[in-house]
Amino acid sequence: MKTKNAAGDAPRLYQAVLAHIQHGLWNDVRNAHTLAWMVTGLVLSGRSSIPAWLPYIHSRATFAQSSERRARRWLDSPAIDPTSIYGPLVTRALRDWGSQTL
């Protein structure tokens, strides 16, 4: 099974997500790029399944399995500390929320 090219809103959404996560959270910018594509796939597919994200992930990989392995390696990496990432991301997201109800 070959991957599809990222089409439609995926590149724009990826750029928007990347703008929020790339600064100050990573020792390697490739981690931010991988996470941005995974979030893009999650949002556009509406599913929490990595295979469902694949049509929305832009990659030089020829086969879908390569992109899926990349996402799984990222999620399983001991170098990724979700607790150190989640707090700053939520803070940034809510900073300009104002008085609106969540």
Side-chain angles (χ1 to χ4, degrees):
M1 174 177 162
K2 291 190 176 237
T3 56
K4 298 178 185 176
N5 288 332
D9 293 332
R12 275 194 320 222
L13 180 56
Y14 163 79
Q15 290 298 327
V17 169
L18 186 62
H20 289 284
I21 64 173
Q22 73 180 358
H23 300 291
L25 296 175
W26 308 100
N27 57 354
D28 188 339
V29 72
R30 292 174 296 182
N31 289 328
H33 290 280
T34 300
L35 178 59
W37 277 118
M38 290 191 308
V39 170
T40 299
L42 172 68
V43 170
L44 293 177
S45 71
R47 299 183 60 205
S48 62
S49 165
I50 293 174
W53 306 344
L54 297 179
Y56 306 101
I57 295 176
H58 175 73
S59 173
R60 292 182 308 216
T62 305
F63 297 101
Q65 297 92 324
S66 299
S67 294
E68 184 173 349
R69 276 194 306 270
R70 177 181 171 205
R72 291 193 189 283
R73 274 194 314 269
W74 189 93
L75 290 168
D76 291 337
S77 173
I80 305 297
D81 179 18
T83 56
S84 68
I85 297 166
Y86 188 71
L89 285 177
V90 170
T91 302
R92 282 188 198 157
L94 297 177
R95 183 180 326 149
D96 298 322
W97 198 270
S99 61
Q100 297 176 3
T101 304
L102 292 175

